Amino acid sequence: FQFPRYVFLQFLGLDKVPSPQKLQPVPSILKKVLQDREVAAATGASPDLCYVRELGVRGNVLRLLPDQGFFLYPKKRPHASSCLQKVLYFNLSAIKEQGQVTMARLSLDLGPSSYSHLGPELELALSLVQEPRGWGRSTPRPGKVLALQSVPWPQGVLNFNLLEVAADWTRNPQKNSGLFLEILVKEDRDSRESSQLEDPCARLRRSLHASLLLVTLDPEQCRPSWKRR
Amino acid sequence: AAVPAPQASCKHLCHRHQLFINFRDRGWHKWIIDPKGFMANYCHGDCPFSLTTSLNSSNYAFLQALMHAADPDVPQAVCIPTRLSPISMLYQDNDDNVILRHYEDMVVDECGCG
């Protein structure tokens, strides 16, 4: 008797058995939610499975999507202060359930000390990738600006709320052209030659890590609670 | 007329049995990050008419057992889960996404005749 594997996979929302080369690191928030649920189960409590208390949002599926984008190496540096440009891309096609996105948090980890030598301040610009207007244009360009942020010193992971964007992408997958990330160095041009930027920016490129935490609510499994009058 | 009570020893009566599902045994540990397995349990045992009222039974199970005693074509009440609890699973899919999902009714906590 062969256990019908596909039944279990279907149950998990998978098409085939995953065969990862290596397991991805699990972010602390997912560990925390899991541990809290295990404690609740051990104590016989019955928590609301459609509410993520740790994040304060409704939802029953949490996903951490790795960035599948790429760095851009323009022949001519667009600004003297430009340090790096990257397209961030998150594949949302795995979201098959007719779920409602209730949270989308982009996390950018610039590395613990990768830019501490750069100088006084970094500036970070996050935009939507401009949708292609014609055939043949291959270089992604920044479109609508989502965030502009100064980063005066290394401060761990930077988080951005992308709820509206992610909800739009799940409804209209063809709109998902990715995000355009540009990091600029606010430098004193008199004291700093542009060539000096090369090495720290290369370090930043190596250490930069982006991920998208997505919470979805499956209406089939999470029916709206009836409100008492 | 009095219905003869079938003989059933205590160990054959409907109750919860331990069943641990080990993901490693199935090779699923390569993509299921946590848990490594879980105590799913299962229900098994007899639901004799004489004891349906004491085996955590539904009223319907009692009536069904009564009907079975009168007419053997009516199936006997069966031993089923009466209380289930959820588990959460953390796994990785083919796109390297790490997913935490909650699944209801995965662990049998109590059994009864139904």
Side-chain angles (χ1 to χ4, degrees):
Chain A
F1 175 74
Q2 278 286 314
F3 177 78
R5 198 165 55 179
Y6 70 91
V7 175
F8 184 66
L9 293 175
Q10 214 170 29
F11 175 68
L12 294 177
L14 300 166
D15 295 328
K16 57 180 182 177
V17 176
S19 53
Q21 296 299 310
K22 66 171 186 129
L23 289 178
Q24 295 292 319
V26 179
S28 55
I29 182 65
L30 293 192
K31 283 183 192 165
K32 172 98 176 65
V33 176
L34 187 68
Q35 281 166 2
D36 288 354
R37 291 283 156 96
E38 283 171 352
V39 168
T43 55
S46 50
D48 181 358
L49 295 181
C50 298
Y51 179 71
V52 188
R53 189 174 50 84
E54 295 78 358
L55 297 169
V57 292
R58 286 195 42 83
N60 65 328
V61 186
L62 287 83
R63 287 185 174 83
L64 187 83
L65 312 180
D67 169 34
Q68 299 178 5
F70 50 90
F71 284 100
L72 297 169
Y73 298 95
K75 285 176 188 163
K76 265 183 78 174
R77 186 184 286 191
H79 328 281
S81 57
S82 182
C83 186
L84 70 80
Q85 290 183 338
K86 188 173 196 238
V87 171
L88 306 175
Y89 183 77
F90 300 99
N91 184 358
L92 303 183
S93 64
I95 303 169
K96 293 194 174 61
E97 70 267 9
Q98 290 299 309
Q100 173 194 346
V101 180
T102 56
M103 199 196 92
R105 187 170 76 187
L106 171 71
S107 294
L108 288 180
D109 189 353
L110 304 181
S113 59
S114 57
Y115 61 100
S116 57
H117 312 293
L118 279 175
E121 195 165 328
L122 291 179
E123 193 147 281
L124 189 147
L126 183 69
S127 321
L128 289 174
V129 167
Q130 201 175 62
E131 290 177 48
R133 289 196 182 126
W135 298 104
R137 206 188 76 199
S138 56
T139 310
R141 292 183 179 186
K144 182 187 171 190
V145 177
L146 299 174
L148 275 173
Q149 186 170 333
S150 284
V151 189
W153 56 82
Q155 49 185 261
V157 178
L158 304 171
N159 293 316
F160 300 89
N161 179 2
L162 292 186
L163 178 59
E164 282 182 30
V165 173
D168 190 29
W169 286 347
T170 48
R171 282 192 301 267
N172 308 292
Q174 74 282 0
K175 280 192 177 178
N176 182 4
S177 303
L179 301 164
F180 193 99
L181 173 69
E182 184 167 31
I183 294 180
L184 309 163
V185 181
K186 279 188 170 176
E187 57 172 334
D188 179 357
R189 288 187 187 177
D190 296 335
S191 62
R192 200 177 274 269
E193 291 295 322
S194 61
S195 59
Q196 286 181 296
L197 287 173
E198 297 294 331
D199 191 43
C201 289
R203 273 206 296 275
L204 191 54
R205 267 193 286 273
R206 279 197 299 276
S207 62
L208 178 68
H209 182 263
S211 60
L212 184 68
L213 178 65
L214 210 66
V215 182
T216 52
L217 181 78
D218 186 346
E220 284 293 309
Q221 292 174 21
C222 300
R223 302 193 185 281
S225 54
W226 294 99
K227 286 184 181 169
R228 287 174 191 270
R229 284 191 184 173
Chain B
V3 178
Q7 296 298 311
S9 66
C10 276
K11 68 174 183 178
H12 293 129
L13 292 178
C14 172
H15 71 278
R16 189 183 71 166
H17 297 254
Q18 286 199 337
L19 170 66
F20 185 75
I21 295 183
N22 189 339
F23 292 139
R24 180 173 282 275
D25 290 348
R26 312 219 66 90
W28 296 342
H29 64 291
K30 292 171 187 164
W31 52 278
I32 297 179
I33 302 165
D34 204 16
K36 304 296 175 204
F38 69 102
M39 191 64 86
N41 303 324
Y42 68 95
C43 298
H44 185 68
D46 298 330
C47 289
F49 171 66
S50 57
L51 290 169
T52 38
T53 49
S54 56
L55 287 175
N56 199 16
S57 308
S58 61
N59 288 338
Y60 179 77
F62 175 78
L63 285 173
Q64 185 168 344
L66 186 68
M67 293 307 292
H68 172 75
D71 178 2
D73 284 347
V74 176
Q76 237 177 346
V78 288
C79 185
I80 53 165
T82 51
R83 196 162 70 90
L84 295 149
S85 58
I87 64 163
S88 298
M89 281 174 61
L90 189 65
Y91 61 93
Q92 194 166 320
D93 71 5
N94 277 305
D95 294 315
D96 282 344
N97 301 325
V98 178
I99 301 166
L100 177 63
R101 200 185 276 241
H102 311 299
Y103 297 93
E104 285 192 84
D105 303 341
M106 292 286 279
V107 175
V108 175
D109 293 324
E110 284 175 11
C111 300
C113 295

